Amino acid sequence: MSDSVEIRWHARAGQGAKTAALLLAQAALRDGKFAQAFPEFGPERRGAPIQAFNRIASHAIRVHSGVRQPDIIIVLDETLLDTVPVTSGLATDGIVFVNSPESPLVIRERLRLAGQRVATVDASRIARDHIGRPIPSAPMLGAFAAVTELISLDTLVTDAITRLEKRFRDRPGMIEGNIEAIRRGYGEVQVEGRFPVSRLERLPSPRDVERTLPAWTDLPAGGIIVTPGSAAAYETGDWRQQRPVWDFDRCVHCLICWVMCPDAAIIVEDGKVVDLDVRHCKGCGICAQVCPPRHQAITMIEEDRQRTGAVVSAPVLGRNGR
Amino acid sequence: MNRMVVLTGNEVEAEAMRQINPHVVAAYPITPQTEIIQLFTGYVVDGRVDTELIRVESEHSAMSACIGAAAAGCRVMTATSSQGLALMWEVLYIAASLRLPIVMAVVNRALSGNINIHCDHSDSMGARDAGWVQLFSSNVQEAYDTMIQAVRVAEQACLPVMVMTDGFLTSHEAEPVLLYPDDQVRAFIGPYRPGYALLDVDHPITVGPLDFHDYYFEHKRSQAAAITDAAGVIDQVAREFEQAFGSRYHAVEPYRLHDATVGIVAIGSTCGTAEEAVDAARSRGIAAGLLKLRVFRPFPLPQIVAGLRHVHAVAVMDRSDGMAGWGGPVGVEIKAALYGLAERPTVIDYVYGLGGREITVEDLVEVCEELHGIADGQDGGEPVRYLGVREEGAIHEPENARREA
């Protein structure tokens, strides 16, 4: 790798990618390098696919555009492999880190990668074990240090302690847990490499996509939208980390949930709740909140993304196992 | 029948609003605009207009209500001054971006602090980049005629329009003014037919959605084209106004400028004073002329260049200081406009009249004399000058002596 390394993070909003990119930049700085970290912000909320970027170099960094041809890719959420072209633009000698219990070979198959290196670590499980929550960034940073040697484990640990001491002064267990998570990521990462072939095709950047859109002369004045249905075309179902499940022994079909759902994702027929529009339910939980306390017919359950892959589109309604 | 009456600027603007009979007016009172809305409210109460008058708790709300009503498909008007315009700042941009043809009378008044209710142009100059068409009037007749034209300009250009008068000068001075019959004014403005309207439920639209890097820039480009094209709309409406009512308005109006060696550029009520000064300077052998700037947005670049290109020295009268370190906004823009000329006049920016400081014929004759000295090569001096401010060393009575007297 050259004296300038570009890194792209793929995660879901709320998984800590932005903070992890910042920590990586701080650690690189402490190790005597120049570094940059910035997220790509959209309108999305928790659960939506997001990107974050790092540049690490031996010289001052002047470029501020997004990373489209990365040397290193870090994927914090395995389900993104099915929905986001995470490896686009990867360098010939590049590395992909994936938070997954699978071996690098399995992930290589899933990504249809001919060359490059693949590293995996079950960061979510490590995080659950030591931090109590599936925030995979700490073990992923450990894995990153082990494979790339761009930052040292010592620096990473020292930085993490400095940062966490302020936040968890009353809970030393959290500091120890995070440090242990970094160390286990460092120790348990599996890496597998093949002879480099060629840089992967760079997928369209935002600029490329923007070039395909209508010219300003073809747009209605005032930025108004004259075609109905633009909200329906925007599938927010992919953001979902929890989903509502109805207990129809308790549901009285008062339809308060239907009124309050911000995505019109609760399907009602003949005055009764019959289905959930999983393409638009983003798992906000408002329906469960507004369900009258004496009925409590709606429970939010975790989407088990890590095990089942993409969001399940099969019917979810039922008797809730009772 | 036309009627010749004696009225103030505020009165004729309220009269124009009565004749226009807009669907919605949302406004908040502020000196020196108050009279306009006070009089118009009377017309509403007396049933002389059909307008839905929305009384709001601030100018921010006034403009917000105007935006909502205009997006719904209504013909909308309002009026404000000074701090009121400043409080509207963020929503002014939304009105323009959504291309809503709101017409607003702005009675120019200085901005605080310190607190001052008198005329300068800091308020409307502060809004010059908001995307509104800005039309200035230099006397009461112009205020009346411009309000009527503004409705057509706004609706044809799909842009909001500010109509300016000078606070406590044009707004409160009574002058003879020719009023046109209601039916002729209504025939001139015609019915309002919005291209899109939120209340047109058969054709649903979304107004003001999230607009990121994929579309925002295109919408701004389209808005920039609209303000550029508004120049043609203003001129076309002025031609039709001449046919209907007899007076011809232009974006810039020269006075004795064609053979002048020195020129003054002015806006608002100072223009009449400057015409007197030009005559006085000419009687003293200085070939002076005036360029009255009536339209400030869109900036009438070709007319300004054509008007000033032959002049040796130009005084730009700036009734606000841009606080940019090099004078006021009008001076900066006039200099930029003349940059493309191979041989350019020397431009001196005169910041004057702040907070209602009086400007006299003698002041402006003095300006012509200074310009004459520059044209002669005697005065190569300061490009930014403050006219009528007390400079260091000025003789003034000690404070204590005055108290004892």
Side-chain angles (χ1 to χ4, degrees):
Chain A
M1 270 173 210
S2 70
D3 65 345
S4 174
V5 176
E6 299 198 316
I7 301 161
R8 190 172 65 212
W9 297 73
H10 290 277
R12 291 186 184 277
Q15 287 186 316
K18 174 178 165 278
T19 306
L22 186 67
L23 288 177
L24 181 54
Q26 282 171 349
L29 191 69
R30 195 178 281 238
D31 279 349
K33 299 185 177 74
F34 289 90
Q36 184 188 54
F38 61 104
E40 187 166 79
F41 282 110
E44 291 83 8
R45 298 290 180 268
R46 180 173 290 271
I50 59 128
Q51 296 181 24
F53 308 117
N54 281 117
R55 288 189 174 87
I56 298 174
S58 57
H59 51 75
I61 298 162
R62 295 182 290 191
V63 177
H64 291 276
S65 50
V67 171
R68 308 295 167 208
Q69 297 193 282
D71 301 292
I72 298 169
I73 288 162
I74 304 170
V75 184
L76 290 189
D77 190 317
E78 194 181 341
T79 65
L80 292 170
L81 302 186
D82 302 313
T83 55
V84 175
V86 295
T87 56
S88 71
L90 182 61
T92 53
D93 55 351
I95 311 170
V96 190
F97 290 85
V98 180
N99 167 20
S100 170
E102 305 289 353
S103 73
L105 278 169
V106 171
I107 296 297
R108 172 181 297 285
E109 289 292 309
R110 263 179 84 184
L111 290 171
R112 296 191 182 85
L113 276 180
Q116 286 97 358
R117 285 197 287 168
V118 178
T120 61
V121 64
D122 193 356
S124 290
R125 187 173 54 80
I126 294 172
R128 276 200 199 92
D129 289 351
H130 297 282
I131 307 170
R133 287 192 301 156
I135 303 287
S137 49
M140 288 303 276
L141 281 169
F144 179 91
V147 176
T148 68
E149 297 173 358
L150 281 167
I151 50 170
S152 68
L153 180 65
D154 283 350
T155 307
L156 202 54
V157 168
T158 313
D159 266 8
I161 290 172
T162 311
R163 199 177 66 90
L164 296 168
E165 265 176 350
K166 289 177 197 154
R167 205 170 140 193
F168 296 114
R169 197 166 292 142
D170 310 331
R171 296 160 66 192
M174 282 303 287
I175 302 171
E176 286 162 23
N178 269 278
I179 301 309
E180 191 52 30
I182 292 171
R183 289 188 191 283
R184 274 189 63 191
Y186 187 89
E188 292 178 21
V189 62
Q190 304 176 62
V191 63
E192 176 267 352
R194 278 193 196 171
F195 193 73
V197 278
S198 60
R199 184 181 277 273
L200 294 188
E201 187 192 351
R202 185 177 77 92
L203 281 178
S205 72
R207 287 298 303 281
D208 297 325
V209 174
E210 283 153 19
R211 280 191 194 99
T212 66
L213 300 174
W216 66 267
T217 42
D218 297 330
L219 296 173
I224 61 170
I225 298 170
V226 296
T227 320
S230 58
Y234 191 20
E235 300 199 352
T236 47
D238 192 37
W239 306 4
R240 195 172 55 248
Q241 290 183 316
Q242 293 185 315
R243 68 168 58 197
V245 175
W246 272 256
D247 178 349
F248 286 116
D249 289 339
R250 305 179 70 101
C251 178
V252 295
H253 302 282
C254 66
L255 304 190
I256 293 173
C257 57
W258 174 73
V259 171
M260 299 302 286
C261 174
D263 291 292
I266 296 166
I267 299 167
V268 169
E269 283 173 14
D270 297 328
K272 290 191 186 314
V273 174
V274 295
D275 206 352
L276 181 71
D277 173 4
V278 290
R279 285 168 44 236
H280 294 100
C281 169
K282 59 171 127 67
C284 68
I286 288 174
C287 50
Q289 286 282 326
V290 299
C291 187
R294 68 178 179 279
H295 300 299
Q296 291 181 23
I298 305 171
T299 315
M300 298 302 292
I301 62 163
E302 291 289 321
E303 291 281 355
D304 197 356
R305 292 165 180 281
Q306 296 287 346
R307 302 292 170 249
T308 59
V311 171
V312 181
S313 57
V316 295
L317 301 175
R319 298 249 163 178
N320 201 13
R322 293 191 201 205
Chain B
M1 283 287 287
N2 291 346
R3 289 184 296 141
M4 182 63 90
V5 291
V6 175
L7 291 174
T8 66
N10 280 351
E11 286 167 346
V12 294
E13 293 201 320
E15 174 67 2
M17 288 173 71
R18 185 192 63 74
Q19 294 182 313
I20 291 160
N21 191 15
H23 299 120
V24 173
V25 167
Y28 190 83
I30 181 168
T31 303
Q33 156 266 36
T34 311
E35 261 183 325
I36 301 174
I37 296 306
Q38 188 180 339
L39 286 166
F40 187 77
T41 305
Y43 302 146
V44 174
V45 172
D46 295 342
R48 299 180 69 193
V49 289
D50 311 309
T51 305
E52 179 73 31
L53 180 77
I54 307 174
R55 287 169 297 169
V56 287
E57 74 284 9
S58 75
E59 285 86 355
H60 188 282
S61 301
M63 184 46 61
S64 300
C66 287
I67 288 168
C74 296
R75 179 175 270 162
V76 179
M77 300 183 81
T78 185
T80 196
S81 287
S82 183
Q83 308 302 118
L85 186 62
L87 185 54
M88 285 180 186
W89 199 81
E90 62 156 351
V91 263
L92 289 177
Y93 283 73
I94 294 170
S97 303
L98 299 182
R99 307 283 304 277
L100 300 173
I102 299 162
V103 173
M104 173 161 64
V106 176
V107 185
N108 286 131
R109 162 184 155 184
L111 288 172
S112 299
N114 292 348
I115 300 171
N116 183 299
I117 57 166
H118 291 286
C119 177
D120 72 33
H121 294 164
S122 310
D123 50 2
S124 50
M125 285 301 158
R128 70 191 183 278
D129 297 340
W132 286 57
V133 171
Q134 291 189 316
L135 308 175
F136 283 84
S137 33
S138 67
N139 59 39
V140 175
Q141 185 73 55
E142 285 185 22
Y144 175 64
D145 292 353
T146 305
M147 282 291 273
I148 295 167
Q149 293 175 60
V151 174
R152 287 278 305 276
V153 170
E155 290 168 12
Q156 258 168 263
C158 291
L159 284 173
V161 179
M162 291 181 199
V163 177
M164 264 64 80
T165 49
D166 280 350
F168 291 113
L169 299 167
T170 346
S171 72
H172 282 65
E173 73 194 359
E175 285 185 335
V177 55
L178 190 67
L179 300 181
Y180 318 118
D182 291 1
D183 56 347
Q184 283 185 32
V185 171
R186 285 179 191 167
F188 179 76
I189 62 170
Y192 175 43
R193 293 194 184 86
Y196 297 98
L198 276 175
L199 287 184
D200 179 3
V201 292
D202 294 328
H203 302 93
I205 56 167
T206 303
V207 174
L210 199 65
D211 200 10
F212 273 8
H213 37 60
D214 48 356
Y215 277 99
Y216 181 89
F217 198 176
E218 277 68 28
H219 290 137
K220 285 295 146 191
R221 178 67 189 85
S222 159
Q223 193 187 338
I227 196 88
T228 305
D229 295 347
V233 175
I234 293 166
D235 197 53
Q236 188 205 327
V237 170
R239 280 172 205 279
E240 291 179 35
F241 186 85
E242 182 189 20
Q243 284 168 8
F245 303 109
S247 303
R248 177 69 166 104
Y249 284 85
H250 298 275
V252 304
E253 293 171 2
Y255 177 75
R256 301 186 79 170
L257 193 61
H258 68 282
D259 63 344
T261 55
V262 301
I264 292 175
V265 176
I267 292 180
S269 61
T270 304
C271 293
T273 314
E275 287 180 6
E276 287 288 333
V278 163
D279 291 349
R282 285 205 173 234
S283 71
R284 294 185 203 179
I286 299 170
L290 167 73
L291 191 72
K292 175 161 96 184
L293 212 53
R294 179 177 165 258
V295 178
F296 190 67
R297 286 289 183 267
F299 193 70
L301 184 83
Q303 294 94 323
I304 286 168
V305 172
L308 297 176
R309 63 183 312 148
H310 63 282
V311 175
H312 300 306
V314 174
V316 179
M317 304 309 298
D318 246 314
R319 203 158 194 163
S320 66
D321 190 315
M323 297 299 168
W326 64 317
V330 190
V332 167
E333 296 206 18
I334 296 284
K335 283 179 215 169
L338 299 175
Y339 183 78
L341 295 173
E343 286 197 29
R344 294 183 286 267
T346 302
V347 178
I348 308 292
D349 191 9
Y350 286 86
V351 177
Y352 79 103
L354 301 192
R357 175 66 48 88
E358 193 166 56
I359 181 87
T360 63
V361 174
E362 292 71 37
D363 291 332
L364 291 166
V365 171
E366 205 174 297
V367 166
C368 290
E369 283 169 351
E370 285 187 20
L371 291 180
H372 190 59
I374 290 163
D376 272 1
Q378 295 164 5
D379 176 353
E382 280 299 305
V384 178
R385 303 177 186 194
Y386 289 83
L387 181 68
V389 76
R390 288 185 299 279
E391 297 291 354
E392 191 180 5
I395 299 162
H396 45 95
E397 216 180 342
E399 190 114 331
N400 291 342
R402 219 182 313 152
R403 277 205 197 123
E404 284 160 18

